Amino acid sequence: MDRLAAMQAFVRVAEAGSFTAVADQMNVARSAVTRQIAALEAHLGVKLMARSTRRLSLTEAGATYLEECRAILDRIAEAEGGLAGERQTLRGTIRTTVPLSFGLLHLTSLILEFSQAHPDIRIDLDFNDRRVNLIEEGMDLGLRITDRLPDTTVARHLTTCRSVVAAAPDYLRRHGEPRHPDELARHDCLAYSLTSRSSWTFLVDGQPHAVEIRGPITANNGNALLEAALRGMGILYGPTFIVAEAIRAGTMAPILKDYPLPLLGMFAVFPGNRFVPWRVRSFVDFLASRLGPEPYWDLGLELG
């Protein structure tokens, strides 16, 4: 038995709560994973996991052993990551989940650049706007755009994301331009369904001010909402990384510029308190350096 490989498999199964999920991540048969755990239990002489038809849980011995395995594997990873050889040649797989629109518009070219510079790295990308459970799905990191993260989240701030309220000039000619956020109640608004479907927040006299909205289209993708706005179907409240080029082209016009919108942060989020491998840290360093504190897509935009 390869004890190190068995320990790695045990940690993965304990964190994912599923033999099948880990087998899929490792691209092996489920039976191969169960044999590794069974061999480890036989070697230790204790039961590490309690299995049933519905769920998998750790025994008391298994919970203690899990923490010891994590500490051992983290020390190994840290020792290997400190070697000059890995710092010169990054190796291994980086599994990451990224927001769909941002990933397609801005991240793909950066990832390809990183991949070409480090040919021994394999990058497994999941384009997804839902909140992925990094541990259950075997991810090394996720990129998230939000105004806040839970206190227990292990994350690194990459850049700041601004939002804009904008509409097609044709829509404004037909319906008039709102001068105060409260006037949006009389307009068609295009809602992003993964945040609030029914209200938008502005800063009025320095205080958050929520405005109820309605409109013909609700979607969980910003590019779809931009397409609707470009067709004159309503007013869009969206991130500048989606809308900036349309504003520069004159096909979208920013409005309500006297009323700032809350800033969002873009974060690299890591799965729990596990050691972050050098290849993952290098990848995040690269993204932070390319995105910068003032992201390139905002350059030259006058949003108030």
Side-chain angles (χ1 to χ4, degrees):
M1 177 186 65
D2 183 338
R3 202 179 310 170
L4 180 60
M7 290 170 61
Q8 291 170 326
F10 167 69
V11 171
R12 284 192 174 198
V13 171
E15 291 179 338
S18 167
F19 285 97
T20 301
V22 173
D24 291 342
Q25 294 168 18
M26 298 172 65
N27 197 28
V28 299
R30 183 183 185 278
S31 58
V33 180
T34 57
R35 281 197 300 269
Q36 280 186 305
I37 305 304
L40 187 61
E41 290 176 324
H43 170 76
L44 296 171
V46 296
K47 202 74 170 171
L48 298 174
M49 295 180 169
R51 306 159 177 83
S52 72
T53 55
R54 292 189 176 183
R55 61 189 299 269
L56 180 152
S57 60
L58 294 176
T59 63
E60 184 177 347
T64 301
Y65 188 62
L66 174 63
E67 295 309 311
E68 294 297 329
C69 285
R70 282 174 170 160
I72 291 168
L73 294 173
D74 284 352
R75 286 195 292 269
I76 292 171
E78 188 168 10
E80 291 178 348
L83 296 175
E86 180 171 335
R87 291 179 184 270
Q88 293 169 2
T89 305
L90 300 179
R91 295 184 174 86
T93 298
I94 300 173
R95 300 192 71 227
T96 180
T97 177
V98 301
L100 177 60
S101 292
F102 179 78
L104 294 175
L105 290 171
H106 300 284
L107 199 60
T108 299
S109 60
L110 296 182
I111 290 173
L112 295 178
E113 180 185 345
F114 183 84
S115 182
Q116 288 178 314
H118 303 285
D120 291 326
I121 288 286
R122 178 178 178 271
I123 298 178
D124 187 346
L125 273 174
D126 173 47
F127 291 92
N128 206 319
D129 284 338
R130 68 181 174 86
R131 188 60 58 89
V132 171
N133 186 309
L134 301 179
I135 292 176
E136 287 184 1
E137 301 197 26
M139 296 291 174
D140 292 299
L141 76 154
L143 262 63
R144 291 183 181 161
I145 300 170
T146 182
D147 59 344
R148 67 177 65 87
L149 290 168
D151 292 339
T152 57
T153 303
V154 180
R156 175 177 173 182
H157 183 270
L158 296 178
T159 192
T160 298
C161 292
R162 292 196 295 168
S163 298
V164 61
V165 178
D170 175 64
Y171 177 90
L172 298 176
R173 281 192 296 269
R174 288 185 288 113
H175 299 278
E177 179 178 342
R179 302 298 178 180
H180 188 279
D182 289 340
E183 295 179 24
L184 291 171
R186 300 194 297 270
H187 285 266
D188 290 329
C189 298
L190 306 169
Y192 182 62
S193 61
L194 295 184
T195 54
S196 174
R197 297 170 181 261
S198 60
S199 67
W200 290 345
T201 299
F202 296 79
L203 296 178
V204 177
D205 297 327
Q207 299 299 316
H209 179 74
V211 176
E212 295 297 314
I213 61 161
R214 61 172 182 79
I217 300 291
T218 298
N220 65 354
N221 179 261
N223 285 90
L225 296 176
L226 175 60
E227 178 64 25
L230 289 169
R231 295 184 182 213
M233 297 177 66
I235 295 174
L236 174 69
Y237 181 135
T240 54
F241 64 74
I242 290 178
V243 190
E245 286 306 309
I247 292 174
R248 291 191 181 95
T251 54
M252 290 287 287
I255 60 175
L256 297 171
K257 294 192 289 184
D258 293 334
Y259 301 93
L261 305 177
L263 294 176
L264 301 176
M266 181 177 295
F267 300 88
V269 178
F270 305 101
N273 292 310
R274 294 186 302 184
F275 173 78
V276 180
W278 176 253
R279 63 184 178 276
V280 177
R281 283 185 284 166
S282 298
F283 178 59
V284 172
D285 287 344
F286 169 81
L287 293 180
S289 68
R290 290 296 190 272
L291 295 174
E294 294 294 331
Y296 61 85
W297 55 81
D298 281 349
L299 295 177
L301 285 186
E302 295 292 336
L303 302 178

